Short mmCIF file of all heavy atoms in Angstrom, two decimals:
data_model
loop_
_atom_site.label_atom_id
_atom_site.label_comp_id
_atom_site.label_asym_id
_atom_site.label_seq_id
_atom_site.Cartn_x
_atom_site.Cartn_y
_atom_site.Cartn_z
N GLN P 41 99.29 112.04 135.40
CA GLN P 41 100.29 112.97 135.92
C GLN P 41 99.75 113.62 137.23
O GLN P 41 100.54 113.96 138.11
CB GLN P 41 100.51 114.08 134.84
CG GLN P 41 101.22 113.58 133.69
CD GLN P 41 102.62 113.19 133.95
OE1 GLN P 41 103.35 113.77 134.74
NE2 GLN P 41 103.03 112.04 133.34
N LEU P 42 98.43 113.67 137.43
CA LEU P 42 97.88 114.38 138.55
C LEU P 42 97.69 113.36 139.74
O LEU P 42 97.31 113.83 140.85
CB LEU P 42 96.54 115.01 138.21
CG LEU P 42 96.72 116.26 137.30
CD1 LEU P 42 95.34 116.69 136.79
CD2 LEU P 42 97.35 117.37 138.04
N LYS P 43 97.85 112.09 139.51
CA LYS P 43 97.42 111.14 140.56
C LYS P 43 98.22 111.17 141.80
O LYS P 43 97.79 110.78 142.89
CB LYS P 43 97.52 109.70 140.01
CG LYS P 43 98.88 109.17 139.78
CD LYS P 43 98.82 107.79 139.19
CE LYS P 43 100.13 107.21 138.96
NZ LYS P 43 100.91 106.86 140.12
N GLU P 44 99.42 111.76 141.82
CA GLU P 44 100.23 111.89 142.99
C GLU P 44 99.87 113.10 143.84
O GLU P 44 100.44 113.30 144.89
CB GLU P 44 101.70 111.99 142.57
CG GLU P 44 102.22 110.73 141.90
CD GLU P 44 102.10 109.46 142.68
OE1 GLU P 44 102.29 109.53 143.97
OE2 GLU P 44 101.81 108.42 142.09
N THR P 45 98.90 113.94 143.35
CA THR P 45 98.56 115.12 144.12
C THR P 45 97.55 114.71 145.19
O THR P 45 97.11 113.51 145.17
CB THR P 45 97.90 116.17 143.18
OG1 THR P 45 96.61 115.64 142.72
CG2 THR P 45 98.78 116.56 142.07
N ASP P 46 97.17 115.59 146.07
CA ASP P 46 96.18 115.31 147.08
C ASP P 46 94.79 115.73 146.60
O ASP P 46 93.83 115.75 147.39
CB ASP P 46 96.61 116.08 148.38
CG ASP P 46 96.56 117.50 148.27
OD1 ASP P 46 96.55 118.03 147.10
OD2 ASP P 46 96.63 118.21 149.31
N LYS P 47 94.63 115.94 145.33
CA LYS P 47 93.34 116.31 144.74
C LYS P 47 92.56 115.13 144.34
O LYS P 47 93.13 114.04 143.91
CB LYS P 47 93.58 117.22 143.53
CG LYS P 47 94.33 118.46 143.82
CD LYS P 47 93.69 119.46 144.66
CE LYS P 47 94.48 120.71 144.88
NZ LYS P 47 93.91 121.53 145.84
N GLN P 48 91.25 115.16 144.39
CA GLN P 48 90.34 114.15 143.87
C GLN P 48 90.20 114.39 142.38
O GLN P 48 89.80 115.54 141.96
CB GLN P 48 89.04 114.11 144.52
CG GLN P 48 88.07 113.16 143.83
CD GLN P 48 87.08 112.55 144.69
OE1 GLN P 48 86.92 112.86 145.89
NE2 GLN P 48 86.20 111.77 144.15
N ILE P 49 90.50 113.43 141.52
CA ILE P 49 90.47 113.55 140.09
C ILE P 49 89.36 112.59 139.55
O ILE P 49 89.34 111.52 139.94
CB ILE P 49 91.83 113.17 139.49
CG1 ILE P 49 92.99 114.10 140.07
CG2 ILE P 49 91.84 113.31 137.94
CD1 ILE P 49 94.30 113.36 140.03
N THR P 50 88.57 113.22 138.69
CA THR P 50 87.54 112.45 138.03
C THR P 50 87.69 112.58 136.53
O THR P 50 87.87 113.68 136.01
CB THR P 50 86.14 113.07 138.41
OG1 THR P 50 86.07 112.92 139.88
CG2 THR P 50 85.00 112.20 137.84
N VAL P 51 87.68 111.48 135.83
CA VAL P 51 87.65 111.48 134.37
C VAL P 51 86.32 111.01 133.92
O VAL P 51 85.86 109.94 134.41
CB VAL P 51 88.78 110.55 133.84
CG1 VAL P 51 88.75 110.39 132.31
CG2 VAL P 51 90.20 110.91 134.36
N VAL P 52 85.72 111.79 133.01
CA VAL P 52 84.42 111.43 132.45
C VAL P 52 84.61 111.23 130.92
O VAL P 52 85.35 111.96 130.29
CB VAL P 52 83.25 112.38 132.73
CG1 VAL P 52 82.97 112.42 134.22
CG2 VAL P 52 83.63 113.77 132.29
N GLU P 53 83.98 110.23 130.40
CA GLU P 53 84.03 109.89 129.00
C GLU P 53 82.64 109.39 128.52
O GLU P 53 81.92 108.63 129.28
CB GLU P 53 85.00 108.74 128.77
CG GLU P 53 85.00 108.11 127.41
CD GLU P 53 85.32 109.08 126.26
OE1 GLU P 53 86.25 109.86 126.36
OE2 GLU P 53 84.54 109.08 125.32
N LYS P 54 82.22 109.91 127.44
CA LYS P 54 80.85 109.62 126.95
C LYS P 54 80.69 108.14 126.37
O LYS P 54 79.67 107.65 126.23
CB LYS P 54 80.32 110.55 125.94
CG LYS P 54 81.04 110.50 124.61
CD LYS P 54 80.41 111.39 123.59
CE LYS P 54 81.07 111.21 122.30
NZ LYS P 54 80.36 111.78 121.16
N ASP P 55 81.82 107.51 126.09
CA ASP P 55 81.81 106.23 125.41
C ASP P 55 82.86 105.37 126.13
O ASP P 55 83.02 105.39 127.27
CB ASP P 55 82.06 106.44 123.93
CG ASP P 55 81.57 105.26 123.06
OD1 ASP P 55 80.98 104.38 123.62
OD2 ASP P 55 81.76 105.41 121.91
N LEU P 56 83.71 104.69 125.30
CA LEU P 56 84.73 103.89 125.79
C LEU P 56 86.08 104.62 125.87
O LEU P 56 86.35 105.48 125.07
CB LEU P 56 84.94 102.63 124.84
CG LEU P 56 83.75 101.77 124.74
CD1 LEU P 56 84.09 100.73 123.62
CD2 LEU P 56 83.62 100.99 126.04
N LEU P 57 86.85 104.36 126.94
CA LEU P 57 88.13 105.05 127.08
C LEU P 57 88.99 104.71 125.84
O LEU P 57 89.13 103.58 125.40
CB LEU P 57 88.91 104.48 128.34
CG LEU P 57 88.22 104.86 129.68
CD1 LEU P 57 89.03 104.20 130.81
CD2 LEU P 57 88.15 106.28 129.82
N GLY P 58 89.70 105.75 125.37
CA GLY P 58 90.60 105.60 124.28
C GLY P 58 89.99 105.15 122.95
O GLY P 58 90.66 104.53 122.12
N CYS P 59 88.74 105.34 122.78
CA CYS P 59 87.98 104.83 121.65
C CYS P 59 87.99 105.63 120.39
O CYS P 59 88.07 105.11 119.29
CB CYS P 59 86.58 104.48 122.08
SG CYS P 59 85.63 103.64 120.82
N HIS P 60 87.89 106.91 120.48
CA HIS P 60 87.66 107.76 119.37
C HIS P 60 88.94 108.25 118.71
O HIS P 60 89.63 107.47 118.00
CB HIS P 60 86.73 108.97 119.79
CG HIS P 60 85.37 108.48 120.22
ND1 HIS P 60 84.46 108.05 119.28
CD2 HIS P 60 84.82 108.33 121.41
CE1 HIS P 60 83.34 107.61 119.91
NE2 HIS P 60 83.67 107.76 121.25
N THR P 61 89.34 109.47 118.85
CA THR P 61 90.56 109.96 118.20
C THR P 61 91.77 109.20 118.59
O THR P 61 92.60 108.74 117.81
CB THR P 61 90.73 111.50 118.51
OG1 THR P 61 89.60 112.18 118.08
CG2 THR P 61 91.96 111.94 117.83
N SER P 62 91.90 108.92 119.90
CA SER P 62 93.07 108.13 120.40
C SER P 62 93.07 106.74 119.83
O SER P 62 94.07 106.17 119.63
CB SER P 62 93.10 108.08 121.92
OG SER P 62 93.32 109.40 122.41
N GLY P 63 91.94 106.18 119.61
CA GLY P 63 91.74 104.80 119.15
C GLY P 63 92.21 104.66 117.67
O GLY P 63 92.52 103.52 117.27
N CYS P 64 92.24 105.76 117.01
CA CYS P 64 92.58 105.75 115.58
C CYS P 64 94.02 106.17 115.34
O CYS P 64 94.41 106.44 114.22
CB CYS P 64 91.66 106.63 114.80
SG CYS P 64 89.89 105.99 114.82
N THR P 65 94.84 106.27 116.42
CA THR P 65 96.23 106.64 116.24
C THR P 65 97.08 105.47 116.50
O THR P 65 96.62 104.36 116.83
CB THR P 65 96.61 107.78 117.22
OG1 THR P 65 96.53 107.28 118.58
CG2 THR P 65 95.65 108.92 117.14
N THR P 66 98.40 105.68 116.45
CA THR P 66 99.32 104.71 116.82
C THR P 66 99.63 104.61 118.33
O THR P 66 100.51 103.90 118.77
CB THR P 66 100.71 104.83 116.06
OG1 THR P 66 101.20 106.15 116.42
CG2 THR P 66 100.49 104.81 114.56
N ALA P 67 98.98 105.54 119.08
CA ALA P 67 99.10 105.59 120.46
C ALA P 67 100.55 105.88 120.88
O ALA P 67 101.13 105.43 121.90
CB ALA P 67 98.67 104.32 121.22
N LYS P 68 101.16 106.67 120.06
CA LYS P 68 102.65 107.08 120.35
C LYS P 68 102.70 108.45 120.92
O LYS P 68 102.02 109.38 120.42
CB LYS P 68 103.32 107.04 118.98
CG LYS P 68 104.77 107.52 119.03
CD LYS P 68 105.39 107.51 117.72
CE LYS P 68 106.60 108.34 117.72
NZ LYS P 68 107.08 108.66 116.36
N ILE P 69 103.41 108.66 121.92
CA ILE P 69 103.67 109.92 122.59
C ILE P 69 105.10 110.24 122.32
O ILE P 69 106.01 109.38 122.57
CB ILE P 69 103.42 109.91 124.11
CG1 ILE P 69 101.93 109.51 124.34
CG2 ILE P 69 103.71 111.27 124.68
CD1 ILE P 69 101.67 109.39 125.84
N THR P 70 105.40 111.44 121.77
CA THR P 70 106.73 111.76 121.53
C THR P 70 107.05 113.14 122.18
O THR P 70 106.22 114.09 122.14
CB THR P 70 107.11 111.87 120.01
OG1 THR P 70 108.43 112.30 119.90
CG2 THR P 70 106.22 112.76 119.27
N LEU P 71 108.19 113.28 122.80
CA LEU P 71 108.60 114.58 123.33
C LEU P 71 109.61 115.27 122.43
O LEU P 71 110.08 116.40 122.73
CB LEU P 71 109.19 114.33 124.76
CG LEU P 71 108.33 113.80 125.77
CD1 LEU P 71 109.13 113.46 127.03
CD2 LEU P 71 107.17 114.66 126.03
N LEU P 72 109.99 114.60 121.33
CA LEU P 72 110.99 115.12 120.54
C LEU P 72 110.48 115.94 119.34
O LEU P 72 111.26 116.31 118.47
CB LEU P 72 111.87 113.97 120.00
CG LEU P 72 112.59 113.13 121.11
CD1 LEU P 72 113.32 111.98 120.52
CD2 LEU P 72 113.52 114.01 121.90
N GLN P 73 109.18 116.13 119.20
CA GLN P 73 108.63 116.81 118.07
C GLN P 73 109.15 118.15 117.99
O GLN P 73 109.39 118.67 116.81
CB GLN P 73 107.09 116.80 118.24
CG GLN P 73 106.31 117.19 116.99
CD GLN P 73 106.43 116.09 115.94
OE1 GLN P 73 106.76 114.94 116.20
NE2 GLN P 73 106.19 116.53 114.73
N ASP P 74 109.48 118.83 119.04
CA ASP P 74 109.99 120.15 119.01
C ASP P 74 111.29 120.20 118.19
O ASP P 74 111.59 121.19 117.44
CB ASP P 74 110.19 120.70 120.32
CG ASP P 74 110.49 122.21 120.40
OD1 ASP P 74 109.80 122.90 119.63
OD2 ASP P 74 111.36 122.68 121.10
N LEU P 75 112.15 119.17 118.32
CA LEU P 75 113.42 119.17 117.60
C LEU P 75 113.17 119.13 116.06
O LEU P 75 114.01 119.74 115.31
CB LEU P 75 114.18 117.94 117.99
CG LEU P 75 114.63 117.93 119.47
CD1 LEU P 75 115.33 116.57 119.79
CD2 LEU P 75 115.55 119.04 119.79
N ILE P 76 112.16 118.52 115.63
CA ILE P 76 111.84 118.48 114.20
C ILE P 76 111.53 119.84 113.70
O ILE P 76 112.07 120.29 112.64
CB ILE P 76 110.69 117.51 113.86
CG1 ILE P 76 111.08 116.08 114.19
CG2 ILE P 76 110.24 117.66 112.47
CD1 ILE P 76 109.91 115.08 114.12
N TYR P 77 110.78 120.62 114.39
CA TYR P 77 110.37 121.96 114.01
C TYR P 77 111.66 122.88 114.01
O TYR P 77 111.86 123.72 113.15
CB TYR P 77 109.36 122.57 114.96
CG TYR P 77 108.01 121.84 114.83
CD1 TYR P 77 107.45 121.20 115.88
CD2 TYR P 77 107.39 121.82 113.58
CE1 TYR P 77 106.22 120.45 115.71
CE2 TYR P 77 106.18 121.14 113.42
CZ TYR P 77 105.57 120.51 114.50
OH TYR P 77 104.42 119.87 114.32
N GLN P 78 112.59 122.78 114.96
CA GLN P 78 113.74 123.53 115.06
C GLN P 78 114.63 123.18 113.83
O GLN P 78 115.14 124.17 113.23
CB GLN P 78 114.53 123.14 116.31
CG GLN P 78 113.91 123.71 117.62
CD GLN P 78 114.64 123.29 118.85
OE1 GLN P 78 115.77 122.78 118.79
NE2 GLN P 78 114.02 123.44 120.01
N LYS P 79 114.74 121.90 113.45
CA LYS P 79 115.52 121.59 112.25
C LYS P 79 114.89 122.20 110.99
O LYS P 79 115.63 122.71 110.09
CB LYS P 79 115.61 120.10 112.16
CG LYS P 79 116.61 119.53 113.19
CD LYS P 79 116.67 118.03 112.96
CE LYS P 79 117.68 117.44 114.01
NZ LYS P 79 117.80 116.00 113.83
N LEU P 80 113.57 122.10 110.88
CA LEU P 80 112.89 122.67 109.70
C LEU P 80 113.17 124.26 109.56
O LEU P 80 113.40 124.68 108.49
CB LEU P 80 111.44 122.35 109.70
CG LEU P 80 111.07 120.90 109.47
CD1 LEU P 80 109.53 120.67 109.74
CD2 LEU P 80 111.37 120.44 108.02
N VAL P 81 113.05 124.84 110.72
CA VAL P 81 113.24 126.31 110.69
C VAL P 81 114.74 126.63 110.34
O VAL P 81 114.96 127.50 109.49
CB VAL P 81 112.93 126.95 112.02
CG1 VAL P 81 113.38 128.38 112.08
CG2 VAL P 81 111.40 126.82 112.26
N LYS P 82 115.65 125.81 110.92
CA LYS P 82 117.02 126.09 110.63
C LYS P 82 117.40 125.82 109.24
O LYS P 82 118.12 126.57 108.55
CB LYS P 82 117.91 125.23 111.55
CG LYS P 82 119.34 125.37 111.40
CD LYS P 82 120.13 124.50 112.31
CE LYS P 82 121.59 124.64 112.10
NZ LYS P 82 122.38 123.71 112.98
N HIS P 83 116.96 124.77 108.63
CA HIS P 83 117.36 124.34 107.25
C HIS P 83 116.44 124.99 106.14
O HIS P 83 116.86 125.14 105.05
CB HIS P 83 117.33 122.84 107.11
CG HIS P 83 118.34 122.15 107.89
ND1 HIS P 83 119.72 122.28 107.75
CD2 HIS P 83 118.22 121.37 109.06
CE1 HIS P 83 120.40 121.54 108.61
NE2 HIS P 83 119.50 120.99 109.44
N TYR P 84 115.17 125.34 106.54
CA TYR P 84 114.32 125.92 105.55
C TYR P 84 113.85 127.35 106.06
O TYR P 84 114.53 128.30 105.89
CB TYR P 84 113.15 125.00 105.33
CG TYR P 84 113.51 123.66 104.77
CD1 TYR P 84 113.64 122.56 105.63
CD2 TYR P 84 113.90 123.49 103.43
CE1 TYR P 84 114.05 121.32 105.09
CE2 TYR P 84 114.35 122.29 102.88
CZ TYR P 84 114.42 121.22 103.77
OH TYR P 84 114.83 120.00 103.22
N ASN P 85 112.67 127.35 106.67
CA ASN P 85 112.14 128.58 107.26
C ASN P 85 110.87 128.22 108.09
O ASN P 85 110.44 127.15 108.11
CB ASN P 85 111.79 129.59 106.16
CG ASN P 85 110.87 129.02 105.11
OD1 ASN P 85 109.96 128.34 105.50
ND2 ASN P 85 111.08 129.27 103.86
N ILE P 86 110.41 129.29 108.73
CA ILE P 86 109.29 129.13 109.68
C ILE P 86 107.99 128.68 108.92
O ILE P 86 107.26 127.88 109.43
CB ILE P 86 109.03 130.38 110.54
CG1 ILE P 86 108.09 130.13 111.64
CG2 ILE P 86 108.52 131.50 109.63
CD1 ILE P 86 108.55 129.32 112.76
N GLU P 87 107.91 129.11 107.70
CA GLU P 87 106.67 128.76 106.89
C GLU P 87 106.73 127.25 106.59
O GLU P 87 105.64 126.56 106.62
CB GLU P 87 106.67 129.67 105.62
CG GLU P 87 106.31 131.02 105.80
CD GLU P 87 107.48 131.89 106.29
OE1 GLU P 87 108.69 131.43 106.10
OE2 GLU P 87 107.27 132.99 106.79
N THR P 88 107.84 126.75 106.30
CA THR P 88 107.91 125.31 106.00
C THR P 88 107.64 124.47 107.26
O THR P 88 106.94 123.47 107.22
CB THR P 88 109.35 124.89 105.50
OG1 THR P 88 109.61 125.66 104.31
CG2 THR P 88 109.48 123.40 105.23
#
Side-chain angles (χ1 to χ4, degrees):
Q41 293 294 319
L42 292 167
K43 72 181 179 72
E44 299 299 324
T45 68
D46 61 347
K47 305 292 184 188
Q48 173 154 358
I49 302 155
T50 303
V51 178
V52 294
E53 169 58 51
K54 70 174 183 165
D55 203 2
L56 296 172
L57 294 177
C59 184
H60 295 285
T61 302
S62 295
C64 295
T65 67
T66 59
K68 175 184 162 192
I69 300 175
T70 179
L71 298 174
L72 301 175
Q73 196 67 20
D74 191 43
L75 296 176
I76 293 169
Y77 295 118
Q78 290 175 13
K79 287 181 181 181
L80 288 171
V81 171
K82 181 179 177 181
H83 293 294
Y84 300 100
N85 54 42
I86 190 74
E87 289 80 17
T88 302

